[in-house]
Amino acid sequence: MKRTIIFLLFSLCFFIRSNAQCAMCRAVLESEEGQTAAEGINDGIVYLMAIPYILVAGIGYFIYRKYNTLKK
């Protein structure tokens, strides 16, 4: 269990650093000088993409914990 938690935390660190832009967003934002808006768009896309996975993982964990406590 400890190994799984460490793996998830480690993979989350690399997940945050990813570039997640669609082709249209990339084309519009590459023409900008400062690239600050592009970084903001990347962060927003990553947060929007991560929230459903976190919610599903949390619900799965609670269901798993519920069924394991019933068996004991």
Side-chain angles (χ1 to χ4, degrees), residues 3-55:
R3 188 179 291 174
T4 304
I5 292 172
I6 291 172
F7 174 74
L8 289 175
L9 290 175
F10 185 70
S11 63
L12 181 64
C13 291
F14 286 109
F15 178 73
I16 292 173
R17 305 261 322 155
S18 66
N19 291 324
Q21 288 181 350
C22 66
M24 294 298 290
C25 295
R26 184 178 301 270
V28 169
L29 294 173
E30 281 180 350
S31 63
E32 186 190 4
E33 293 291 327
Q35 296 295 320
T36 56
E39 292 173 5
I41 295 291
N42 276 340
D43 292 341
I45 291 170
V46 169
Y47 293 142
L48 286 172
M49 186 177 70
I51 296 298
Y53 288 109
I54 292 170
L55 290 174

